[in-house]
Amino acid sequence: MRPARALIDLQALRHNYRLARELSGARALAVIKADAYGHGALRCAEALAGLADGYAVACIEEALELRNAGISAPILLLEGFFDSSELALIDQHRLWCVVHAPWQLAIIEQARLQQPLNVWLKLDSGMHRVGLHAAEYAAAYRRLKACGQVGEVVLMSHLARADELDCSRTEEQLALFNQARSGLPGAISLCNSPAILGWPQLPSDWVRPGIMLYGATPFAGAQPQAAQLRPVMTLESRIISVRELPAGEPVGYGARFVCPRATRIGVVAMGYADGYPRHAPDGTPIRVDGQPARLAGRVSMDMLCVDISDLPQAGLGSRVELWGGAVAASEVAQLSGSIPYQLFCNLKRVPRVYCGV
Ligand SMILES: *Cc1c(COP(=O)(O)O)cnc(C)c1O
């Protein structure tokens, strides 16, 4: 069997969830959209059952996968419904629903629901993707309250730059949010992972941790709260071939790496078809049998090469960690011009193996 796999530590996931709750002092929806950022939504939801206050996903397809597997906790649809036909299913499966646009309001007003809908009314406080304008927010709130279809209304917005700890944009967004919601009763929800970790002064009744659950930092540099996270995914494989090459010999496609000296190269069963970033540069850290080593040459579809010249004990069958406890996914991401979110979501082909159940 091909040795590439992703180990998923569910105990670390629970630790990170608890940290989100402790830091915020709020209830927390575990964001498990996009198959829990590549970690497996159902397994992650099950691992957090009895602990998480609820879950958040991107669309009804993701929510129904959880409901059909017996997950009964609250599930929030982060973009609400995409057309009116979804509303009956939302009602039937007791899903919570973001409302971010006037056309969604109109559909709710015309619906005949079995039970009061739980709405998260989203303000565009400066991200400028979705959300109601500040000037229409209070009126939308009142329409929801008046239409007879809606129970609780949570007041929410989303932060664009909370990962930049010295940027004033987060405070500007908070000010607009507070202005738009003034006089409106209801729980509030602003915080994603960088806000939970880095902006403890933001008010919260509900937080929405995503990337931090998986143990990756959303920040470009070191940050004390993020240092308490435990990585959930270890992407690993083994060396399947060894080459001893003299100085001057090229390795891999396009001869991007040329041996600067006599070099031992380990060939690892891991490539961009598994989700390892093709743009990782020479020198990207890789652990071989727990020792530091470096990527050598272009990543190909099914294999990549690592310089093991300084690791005489390493060879055929050596265990290789691409990211996890020793190599931070965020470091590999940064070197590759990406973010850990994308690395995790790109994971494919490798089997996921769960531990800490
Ligand atoms: C994805 C998402 C989150 C989680 O963001 P992280 O940066 O991963 O914590 C929170 N809120 C909304 C609205 C989202 O879409």
Side-chain angles (χ1 to χ4, degrees):
M1 200 174 95
R2 190 166 180 263
R5 59 184 198 160
L7 270 176
I8 309 289
D9 179 353
L10 296 172
Q11 226 165 317
L13 178 77
R14 286 189 289 267
H15 164 87
N16 297 332
Y17 178 84
R18 285 193 197 96
L19 183 66
R21 267 229 296 247
E22 278 164 29
L23 289 174
S24 63
R27 285 180 285 174
L29 289 183
V31 179
I32 54 171
K33 62 190 179 190
D35 205 19
Y37 296 37
H39 292 65
L42 184 54
R43 294 299 300 264
C44 289
E46 285 169 350
L48 293 170
L51 179 63
D53 301 303
Y55 306 99
V57 298
C59 57
I60 195 157
E61 291 82 357
E62 292 181 343
L64 293 185
E65 185 200 334
L66 299 170
R67 280 284 183 264
N68 292 337
I71 301 287
S72 59
I75 302 174
L76 175 66
L77 301 176
L78 288 166
E79 281 135 63
F81 48 85
F82 296 84
D83 61 60
S84 60
S85 69
E86 292 177 9
L87 200 49
L89 280 170
I90 288 172
D91 189 25
Q92 182 191 337
H93 292 277
R94 295 165 289 101
L95 303 174
W96 295 0
C97 186
V98 165
V99 168
H100 63 76
W103 65 264
Q104 290 177 322
L105 280 176
I107 286 172
I108 291 170
E109 285 174 327
Q110 284 151 26
R112 290 294 160 260
L113 304 175
Q114 304 292 311
Q115 55 203 325
L117 185 65
N118 177 306
V119 170
W120 290 46
L121 187 62
K122 186 164 186 176
L123 173 74
D124 179 1
S125 61
M127 174 75 106
H128 299 327
R129 298 183 309 189
V130 296
L132 295 154
H133 300 299
E136 60 189 5
Y137 194 69
Y141 179 94
R142 291 194 189 99
R143 274 173 67 184
L144 286 173
K145 284 292 187 185
C147 77
Q149 307 289 313
V150 171
E152 194 185 348
V153 178
V154 175
L155 311 170
M156 81 173 287
S157 191
H158 194 47
L159 300 169
R161 302 184 67 178
D163 58 323
E164 299 169 71
L165 294 169
D166 54 358
C167 172
S168 61
R169 187 61 170 173
T170 295
E171 264 138 13
E172 291 164 22
Q173 287 198 254
L174 173 65
L176 191 65
F177 179 66
N178 283 338
Q179 182 201 319
R181 76 182 177 92
S182 78
L184 305 179
I188 60 177
S189 179
L190 280 175
C191 294
N192 52 5
S193 298
I196 294 164
L197 294 163
W199 296 84
Q201 66 276 36
L202 294 179
S204 297
D205 298 301
W206 284 97
V207 292
R208 309 187 302 268
I211 194 72
M212 71 175 288
L213 294 180
Y214 311 105
T217 178
F219 303 110
Q223 199 269 346
Q225 279 70 36
Q228 298 178 59
L229 295 170
R230 283 173 30 192
V232 172
M233 183 191 295
T234 303
L235 182 64
E236 62 172 39
S237 190
R238 288 186 186 277
I239 290 181
I240 60 165
S241 173
V242 175
R243 287 284 178 278
E244 315 255 1
L245 299 169
E249 281 298 309
V251 174
Y253 286 116
R256 188 182 73 181
F257 181 85
V258 176
C259 296
R261 53 175 175 164
T263 301
R264 273 180 91 229
I265 292 289
V267 181
V268 182
M270 178 64 63
Y272 61 79
D274 303 299
Y276 191 87
R278 199 187 78 92
H279 291 104
D282 289 341
T284 300
I286 292 176
R287 285 274 162 157
V288 178
D289 288 335
Q291 302 299 310
R294 308 218 157 261
L295 179 73
R298 273 194 207 155
V299 173
S300 45
M301 191 181 286
D302 311 313
M303 289 179 270
L304 56 78
C305 294
V306 58
D307 183 342
I308 52 170
S309 306
D310 299 327
L311 305 177
Q313 312 299 324
L316 214 57
S318 283
R319 184 181 164 270
V320 176
E321 176 187 314
L322 289 312
W323 59 69
V327 178
S330 50
E331 187 184 357
V332 178
Q334 213 162 59
L335 289 166
S336 313
S338 186
I339 51 176
Y341 299 74
Q342 192 188 25
L343 260 48
F344 294 153
C345 290
N346 277 350
L347 194 78
K348 44 194 176 298
R349 187 166 71 182
V350 293
R352 286 184 298 234
V353 178
Y354 291 87
C355 65
V357 184

